[in-house]
Amino acid sequence: MIGTGYVGLTTGACFAKIGHEVICVDNDSNKIETLNSGKMPIYEPGLHDIVKEMVTAHRLSFTTDIKTAVHNSTVCFIAVGTPPRGKGEPDLAYVENVAREIATSMEEYLLIVEKSTVPVQTHKWIRTTIERYNRTGTPFDVASNPEFLREGSAVNDFLNPDRIVIGVESDRASDLMKEIYKPLNAPIVITDSASAELIKHASNAFLAMKISFANALAVVCEASGADVHQVTCGMGMDKRIGPSFLDAGIGYGGFCFPKDLRAFIHIAEELGYDFKLLREVENINNEMKLRFIRKIQSVLWNLQNKNIGVLGLSFKPDTDDMRFAPSIDIIAELVHKGAHVRAYDPKAMERARKIIPGIEFCSKAEDVAEDADILLLLTEWSEFKQLDLTKLKKRMRVPIICDGRNMLKRTEIEKQGFTYLGVGR
Ligand code: UDX
């Protein structure tokens, strides 16, 4: 497994868990050192235990030495980053470098699997690169095996997938991939490589579209006196629609949706299609953050010198990931408008400190309420449901809660004497 980010590390550890021997490779020696000393570079529920167990069972190891890893492997997964460049097109330099290193290291048949989210046709470039740089004519196959892991539930998503998508060009590769995933006993979809690459983009874009649909609907609900939660529950009961990914709020964040959507729009454009629908999905998502600020202003009037308590910073609960978290833009705007922000997050404080300047971080959730003119809920961590509202109210200057994730029950909050603002309700 080349690359020990969220995807590589989770996939590698879980492959070991289901019975394989896995060598995880990364060129970041600090990361490998951290892993070899028994620590985790990321927080992902359940992952640390699996890593410990598998290292002890000698089925999982970590190294910076790609050559030895390739020599000792039958299948080599590429799970390195594909960060966005200027216009959102993914930077594939890391993928190419790894393909070249594999090419110069392999001595026997190798199945090379792209796990990173890459533009359609990348498998062809991997194939060409390996053909060019492997001078010994070693036989190989290239397959595409996109991941659908969600941060915070990545282990469970790996072990209980809705489907496993495998794009292959040969029976040998297909058989190997099926064998690898056999212990999971999950539905396997075998396609050509280009289709597998597109399944990943299409799935993420469709999910982002569902969220933006719910958010646009929230605006209409708010204006008409309807409750978006009730509307999406009613819609979601139609099996053709489904109930998930229809939660309105301050919009999606994280390292996948924003980046993958940009990349897919760019890929479509390169292929001659202007995917306007997806541009609008992005616009709606960005707009939700601005609308949230306006909502705060609608109750506080001026933000200059107002004290604002923020609960939740990570882009979603059960992760310490701050990448493209809506909280970043929202807080930046509040600070820009002269507000004093106090914030708390159960897991993401360390990462948040590095990227959100000009605010105070509190070590307890209750402390953000001190002298606050409003409390904002930006990530739906379940522990926020247990907060003692009476205590919070006593510490606040004005008891207003603005719930950016529609997590709290309006009636309960109002019963405690708070003014409650949700999104689309
Ligand atoms: C996503 C995909 O779900 C996963 O299949 C892919 O492999 C990687 O990208 P992830 O980014 O971990 O996973 O998070 P996800 O749980 O999908 O949530 C993404 C964002 O959408 C979060 O910011 C979340 O708060 C937001 N969201 C999700 C909503 O605003 N409303 C919803 O109804 C669902």
Side-chain angles (χ1 to χ4, degrees):
M1 182 67 60
I2 322 255
T4 56
Y6 275 100
V7 174
L9 185 57
T10 310
T11 312
C14 289
F15 273 149
K17 179 78 182 166
I18 63 171
H20 303 298
E21 269 178 53
V22 182
I23 309 167
C24 284
V25 186
D26 207 294
N27 61 4
D28 180 345
S29 52
N30 287 335
K31 212 185 242 186
I32 294 299
E33 240 169 66
T34 305
L35 286 160
N36 276 331
S37 67
K39 295 193 199 107
M40 297 291 281
I42 50 160
Y43 169 73
E44 183 62 40
L47 189 57
H48 198 176
D49 289 345
I50 296 182
V51 169
K52 266 197 281 186
E53 188 192 339
M54 290 302 111
V55 168
T56 311
H58 300 291
R59 292 220 296 271
L60 181 65
S61 58
F62 303 99
T63 180
T64 50
D65 180 3
I66 189 166
K67 260 197 173 27
T68 313
V70 170
H71 284 167
N72 289 300
S73 302
T74 322
V75 186
C76 193
F77 285 81
I78 304 180
V80 293
T82 53
R85 294 172 105 157
K87 279 170 125 190
E89 74 273 26
D91 183 348
L92 298 174
Y94 301 112
V95 175
E96 184 186 347
N97 283 347
V98 168
R100 283 169 63 165
E101 290 204 64
I102 293 172
T104 52
S105 308
M106 64 194 214
E107 287 171 348
E108 283 179 76
Y109 171 84
L110 191 68
L111 171 58
I112 297 123
V113 188
E114 49 170 35
K115 198 72 179 149
S116 310
T117 299
V118 289
V120 61
Q121 300 297 1
T122 299
H123 69 279
K124 283 199 177 155
W125 279 108
I126 295 178
R127 164 171 294 287
T128 307
T129 305
I130 293 181
E131 274 164 359
R132 274 185 195 152
Y133 291 90
N134 177 266
R135 298 289 171 83
T136 53
T138 313
F140 71 94
D141 275 306
V142 176
S144 166
N145 173 217
E147 53 83 21
F148 300 99
L149 308 177
R150 286 165 302 174
E151 287 179 25
S153 57
V155 170
N156 187 50
D157 287 347
F158 179 94
L159 297 172
N160 303 291
D162 288 346
R163 80 311 203 182
I164 293 157
V165 174
I166 295 172
V168 280
E169 307 296 330
S170 82
D171 290 343
R172 186 174 188 178
S174 171
D175 292 345
L176 255 174
M177 290 301 287
K178 281 193 229 162
E179 195 187 322
I180 290 174
Y181 279 108
K182 200 169 166 204
L184 289 181
N185 213 4
I188 293 183
V189 185
I190 303 277
T191 66
D192 58 83
S193 297
S195 300
E197 287 165 337
L198 269 181
I199 287 172
K200 167 72 193 211
H201 279 295
S203 302
N204 271 0
F206 194 85
L207 291 170
M209 184 180 77
K210 277 187 98 176
I211 299 170
S212 280
F213 184 90
N215 282 331
L217 195 62
V219 178
V220 179
C221 286
E222 224 168 270
S224 62
D227 179 333
V228 72
H229 181 64
Q230 292 183 32
V231 177
T232 52
C233 281
M235 284 167 59
M237 285 172 79
D238 185 327
K239 285 198 187 72
R240 294 168 302 174
I241 297 172
S244 54
F245 280 74
L246 285 176
D247 290 331
I250 48 175
Y252 58 77
F255 199 53
C256 287
F257 282 174
K259 169 177 80 77
D260 289 357
L261 204 70
R262 269 287 72 218
F264 194 27
I265 292 169
H266 183 82
I267 291 161
E269 202 173 318
E270 295 265 287
L271 295 168
Y273 181 65
D274 181 4
F275 219 139
K276 292 198 193 87
L277 175 64
L278 297 185
R279 287 189 200 282
E280 198 47 35
V281 167
E282 260 188 340
N283 290 340
I284 294 169
N285 197 58
N286 290 332
E287 227 180 80
M288 291 319 284
K289 290 177 267 191
L290 299 178
R291 284 183 181 277
F292 193 68
I293 300 277
R294 267 185 247 142
K295 194 181 295 252
I296 299 165
Q297 279 178 309
S298 75
V299 283
L300 291 191
W301 192 14
N302 296 305
L303 296 183
Q304 183 78 30
N305 291 327
K306 294 280 160 61
N307 290 336
I308 299 186
V310 169
L311 291 169
L313 295 166
S314 56
F315 84 96
K316 65 171 194 178
D318 296 321
T319 176
D320 62 349
D321 200 340
M322 283 297 299
R323 291 176 297 180
F324 296 98
S327 66
I328 301 172
D329 291 341
I330 291 173
I331 292 174
E333 189 57 21
L334 296 174
V335 171
H336 175 71
K337 289 191 186 303
H340 302 295
V341 177
R342 277 211 178 93
Y344 168 81
D345 188 281
K347 291 278 182 232
M349 300 277 271
E350 210 182 304
R351 286 179 194 265
R353 263 180 228 278
K354 291 182 191 147
I355 49 176
I356 306 182
I359 70 166
E360 192 183 320
F361 290 93
C362 300
S363 52
K364 282 193 285 191
E366 304 82 82
D367 293 347
V368 306
E370 193 64 35
D371 282 335
D373 295 289
I374 193 167
L375 271 190
L376 310 181
L377 209 147
L378 301 188
T379 316
E380 67 277 36
W381 285 92
S382 60
E383 68 170 68
F384 296 153
K385 280 193 186 144
Q386 323 300 332
L387 285 172
D388 185 334
L389 292 172
T390 325
K391 271 196 197 157
L392 282 188
K393 197 175 153 209
K394 274 194 192 134
R395 293 179 73 169
M396 290 179 75
R397 222 151 47 177
V398 190
I400 307 175
I401 292 187
C402 195
D403 180 359
R405 299 293 187 172
N406 288 345
M407 176 194 191
L408 305 171
K409 283 213 174 81
R410 173 192 290 277
T411 43
E412 277 173 28
I413 304 293
E414 287 179 344
K415 224 190 278 167
Q416 306 278 343
F418 281 89
T419 300
Y420 176 86
L421 304 166
V423 178
R425 21 183 22 189

